[in-house]
């Protein structure tokens, strides 16, 4: 199948803009050193793993409290913004931010995927929206942990050398709009 030149140029431009904005032009998709601790980390770098499955693996790593596996789903120079607007830069920042959250405000919380949607932008770029519901343990201190809530995580996934990684992620909670 042939794509027209204009669509290819626009798609290449989208990829270039995203990559340039995040400093990914020379980025390697390799996972951080260390032994993978989840199925997501073991499959990292395998062509054919869909971006939607990466989002599901985010939920698994979250529920396992495995910040290393969660961060392994992201490219080295990725950006993640949590529900509080806290920006985590790079795979290391994403791992450190989630390590801290898992032992504090997310301790005892469980995440459920309610909906996963993929929107292919290009053969190597996909936007994934993951609907989620968060529940905390019944005995958790409501003053110290994230309350039961729901929302949408939006990821941009980039395939490099046959492997998909998230290059951006942003999380928002659902709320009732003002009248």
């Amino acid at each position: 199948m042939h794509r027209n030149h204009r669509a290819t140029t626009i798609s290449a431009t989208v990829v270039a803009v995203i990559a340039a904005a995040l400093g990914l032009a020379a980025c390697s998709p390799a996972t951080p050193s260390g032994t993978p601790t989840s199925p997501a980390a073991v499959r990292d770098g395998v062509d054919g793993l869909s971006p939607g499955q990466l989002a599901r693996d985010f939920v698994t790593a979250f529920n396992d409290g495995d910040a290393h596996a969660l961060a392994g789903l992201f490219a080295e120079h990725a950006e993640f913004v949590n529900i509080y607007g806290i920006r985590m830069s790079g795979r290391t920042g994403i791992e450190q931010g989630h390590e801290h959250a898992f032992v504090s405000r997310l301790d005892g919380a469980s995440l459920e995927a309610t909906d996963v949607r993929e929107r292919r932008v290009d053969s190597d770029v996909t936007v994934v929206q993951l609907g989620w519901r968060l529940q905390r343990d019944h005995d958790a201190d409501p003053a110290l942990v994230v309350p039961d809530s729901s929302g949408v995580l939006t990821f941009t996934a980039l395939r490099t050398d046959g492997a998909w990684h998230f290059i951006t992620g942003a999380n928002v909670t659902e709320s009732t709009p003002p009248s």
Side-chain angles (χ1 to χ4, degrees):
M1 173 167 53
H2 297 287
R3 293 189 286 171
N4 72 38
H5 177 69
R6 178 174 161 74
T8 302
T9 302
I10 290 171
S11 297
T13 303
V14 169
V15 172
V17 168
I18 292 170
L22 296 173
L24 293 171
C27 163
S28 166
T31 58
S33 61
T35 304
T37 57
S38 78
V42 172
R43 287 193 308 266
D44 195 3
V46 177
D47 192 20
L49 179 63
S50 76
Q53 185 58 50
L54 279 181
R56 290 178 188 89
D57 287 349
F58 180 98
V59 172
T60 299
F62 181 100
N63 288 332
D64 290 345
D66 191 341
H68 182 73
L70 186 145
L73 301 170
F74 289 84
E76 186 63 37
H77 294 87
E79 293 281 330
F80 182 82
V81 180
N82 71 12
I83 59 173
Y84 298 108
I86 297 171
R87 185 178 306 241
M88 299 173 209
S89 296
R91 188 180 287 151
T92 301
I94 293 166
E95 182 172 352
Q96 290 171 349
H98 283 89
E99 277 177 350
H100 175 72
F102 290 151
V103 297
S104 60
R105 66 186 172 274
L106 292 175
D107 186 30
S110 64
L111 195 63
E112 174 190 357
T114 59
D115 183 35
V116 178
R117 298 178 188 192
E118 293 185 39
R119 174 92 180 195
R120 187 65 53 114
V121 176
D122 182 273
S123 61
D124 294 326
V125 178
T126 298
V127 174
V128 180
Q129 291 184 319
L130 169 78
W132 56 264
R133 183 177 7 248
L134 181 106
Q135 293 184 306
R136 59 185 171 175
D137 286 344
H138 66 279
D139 60 347
D141 182 346
L144 301 177
V145 297
V146 175
D148 290 356
S149 53
S150 58
V152 178
L153 268 159
T154 301
F155 298 103
T156 304
L158 176 66
R159 181 169 41 194
T160 306
D161 297 330
W164 288 99
H165 286 87
F166 295 134
I167 58 172
T168 64
N171 200 358
V172 296
T173 54
E174 293 176 347
S175 62
T176 304
S179 304

